Amino acid sequence: MLGITDLSTYLVGLALIILLPGPNSLYVVSVAARRGPRVAYRAAAGVLCGDTVLMTLSAGGVASLLQTSPVLFAVVKFAGAGYLTWLAVGMLRGAWALWRGREARRAEPGEASRAPKEAVERPYRRALVVSLLNPKAILFFISFFVQFVDPSYAHPVLSFLTLGAWAQLFSFTYLSVLIFSGTYLAATFRRRKRLTAGLSAGAGAAFLGFAAKLSLASAG
């Protein structure tokens, strides 16, 4: 079908890959816990748009360019690692402030107090940048998709588009589950500020780990 071989195996592998925790999914659930599902879907939209761009670039041959240009790969890699580190520092600072009780002296979050924070954080843009500044994702998409494309098929672009559509459907479903899980956890622990601070600190530490892993990545 549309030049795709062994679709069932592809779907199983895709599900396993999407379920692996990464900076994008962790950021989305963090936004859901802090701001609710409506704002979290902005972050999810950034993830989906970023992945769409990466899939398009992969099909267009950028993966080959990154593999043959160590300098370009290093530039994108360290830019991505630096951005993840910046996000991690922001999460850790927020967790520290919450732990010290500064947030307790502020008004309870309502529509008026949420608006300035949303304007500063811009969840869509942050999630989009995290997605785009990951050269390994481009290499992954091309190397994973190509295994399920029939080389004799006359229109391989259609094959890549179909595989990409399945990937986006799985991602949207998974992110939706995370969003509403994060909202539920936020409601459960709303009064336990120090526990929330601990979770935020854990997320920040995880982002530092993602940054370190990306900075050590190679194109091979």
Side-chain angles (χ1 to χ4, degrees):
M1 181 182 69
L2 297 177
I4 299 175
T5 62
D6 204 356
L7 179 61
S8 59
T9 301
Y10 168 76
L11 295 178
V12 171
L14 183 64
L16 294 175
I17 291 166
I18 289 177
L19 288 174
L20 292 175
N24 288 331
S25 58
L26 186 58
Y27 179 65
V28 170
V29 76
S30 173
V31 172
R34 290 180 287 112
R35 306 290 178 80
R38 184 174 181 179
V39 180
Y41 269 112
R42 298 181 195 175
V47 173
L48 296 175
C49 288
D51 286 348
T52 298
V53 171
L54 295 183
M55 291 176 193
T56 303
L57 292 176
S58 298
V62 174
S64 299
L65 178 62
L66 288 174
Q67 285 180 316
T68 56
S69 176
V71 174
L72 178 60
F73 183 88
V75 168
V76 178
K77 177 181 71 172
F78 286 114
Y83 189 71
L84 289 175
T85 301
W86 180 73
L87 290 179
V89 170
M91 289 180 178
L92 292 173
R93 289 178 61 187
W96 176 250
L98 192 58
W99 183 268
R100 294 292 301 271
R102 296 173 187 171
E103 294 295 326
R105 293 192 294 269
R106 298 179 183 175
E108 286 298 319
E111 294 302 321
S113 61
R114 285 181 185 178
K117 291 182 180 179
E118 289 176 14
V120 172
E121 185 173 356
R122 297 185 180 128
Y124 172 84
R125 189 178 71 176
R126 283 196 176 187
L128 179 66
V129 173
V130 169
S131 293
L132 295 179
L133 291 180
N134 186 1
K136 294 294 287 185
I138 300 179
L139 300 177
F140 163 74
F141 282 129
I142 192 68
S143 62
F144 183 62
F145 283 9
V146 75
Q147 301 176 56
F148 302 96
V149 175
D150 185 354
S152 63
Y153 186 63
H155 305 288
V157 174
L158 291 178
S159 304
F160 274 89
L161 288 176
T162 304
L163 294 173
W166 276 109
Q168 294 292 60
L169 177 61
F170 275 45
S171 293
F172 177 79
T173 302
Y174 177 56
L175 291 176
S176 294
V177 172
L178 291 180
I179 285 171
F180 287 101
S181 298
T183 305
Y184 172 77
L185 291 175
T188 301
F189 300 116
R190 191 175 302 277
R191 296 184 181 87
R192 304 174 68 177
K193 299 296 184 181
R194 292 197 171 186
L195 178 58
T196 303
L199 294 175
S200 297
F207 264 63
L208 287 177
F210 291 133
K213 182 178 179 181
L214 180 57
S215 66
L216 296 175
S218 63

